[in-house]
Amino acid sequence: MTPEDFGVYLLAVSVVSVLILFSQLGLQVCVVRFVAQAMAVPARGKAGDIALKCAVIGFTCALAVALAYAAGAHKMVVRMLDAPGLGTHAYLIALWICVATPLGILAESFRGSLQFRLAALFSGLSSALIVLFCVLSWYSVQDRLNLEWLLALCAGASGSSLLMALIHVLLSRSAISLKSG
């Protein structure tokens, strides 16, 4: 990867991080309390249902932010940061925002249910490990990374982690309903 591409990658990570925080609308903080309350007072609702509802709200907001970014807001970011590479890869950045936003909310829902290992795993560790494994595998075959490939890999790793978190929430919901039924 050239130094210029690496700089664009770091700017993309920064842009994605800011837009994820904007997309979450504070739900990543509120879901901890909502899930903890649901576990303490079973009449309020199931913790898994609350986590999924918050993730869906986060995904909806992320979709709106990502569409706005891809549709034209990226031009303002490109001008502000003087990074044309961000405009070239706006669709990958938008995809990354869409999958990472609900992932962060689900990760915090695990914290609210006192599953700290899962919270740490889905707060970024699983995505980072997937990216690391893929990059090391790539380096065993090629000697240079492509910026577009790396951004797609980051979005895909976040998507894979989101899928794992959703499967865990759905399986734990069904296991709890089987025990109570």
Side-chain angles (χ1 to χ4, degrees), residues 98-121:
C98 283
V99 294
T101 297
L103 176 62
I105 293 169
L106 285 177
E108 292 304 312
S109 73
F110 290 125
R111 191 173 321 282
S113 63
L114 304 177
Q115 298 177 29
F116 299 115
R117 289 185 184 123
L118 290 174
L121 181 67

Side-chain angles (χ1 to χ4, degrees), residues 17 115 133 143 152:
S17 298
Q115 298 177 29
F133 176 76
D143 62 344

Side-chain angles (χ1 to χ4, degrees), residues 1-16 69 77-78 81-87 89 93 96 145-148 150-151:
M1 178 175 278
T2 66
E4 292 82 17
D5 282 350
F6 186 68
V8 171
Y9 170 72
L10 292 179
L11 286 173
V13 169
S14 299
V15 168
V16 167
Y69 181 81
V77 173
V78 166
L81 300 176
D82 192 25
L86 288 176
H89 305 296
I93 292 171
W96 193 0
L145 278 175
N146 179 355
L147 176 61
E148 185 172 15
L150 184 58
L151 290 173

Side-chain angles (χ1 to χ4, degrees), residues 15-17 19-20 23 58-59 61-63 65-66 69 90 92-102 155:
V15 168
V16 167
S17 298
L19 292 177
I20 287 170
S23 298
F59 175 75
C61 294
L63 190 60
V65 169
Y69 181 81
L92 289 172
I93 292 171
L95 177 64
W96 193 0
I97 293 164
C98 283
V99 294
T101 297

Side-chain angles (χ1 to χ4, degrees), residues 26-93:
L27 281 172
Q28 78 279 12
V29 177
C30 295
V31 75
V32 175
R33 184 185 61 151
F34 294 153
V35 169
Q37 284 177 342
M39 290 182 63
V41 183
R44 286 188 170 224
K46 295 181 183 177
D49 291 341
I50 291 171
L52 288 174
K53 286 176 185 174
C54 288
V56 167
I57 293 169
F59 175 75
T60 305
C61 294
L63 190 60
V65 169
L67 286 174
Y69 181 81
H74 68 278
K75 294 175 186 173
M76 181 180 66
V77 173
V78 166
R79 262 185 270 125
M80 281 178 24
L81 300 176
D82 192 25
L86 288 176
T88 308
H89 305 296
Y91 65 97
L92 289 172
I93 292 171

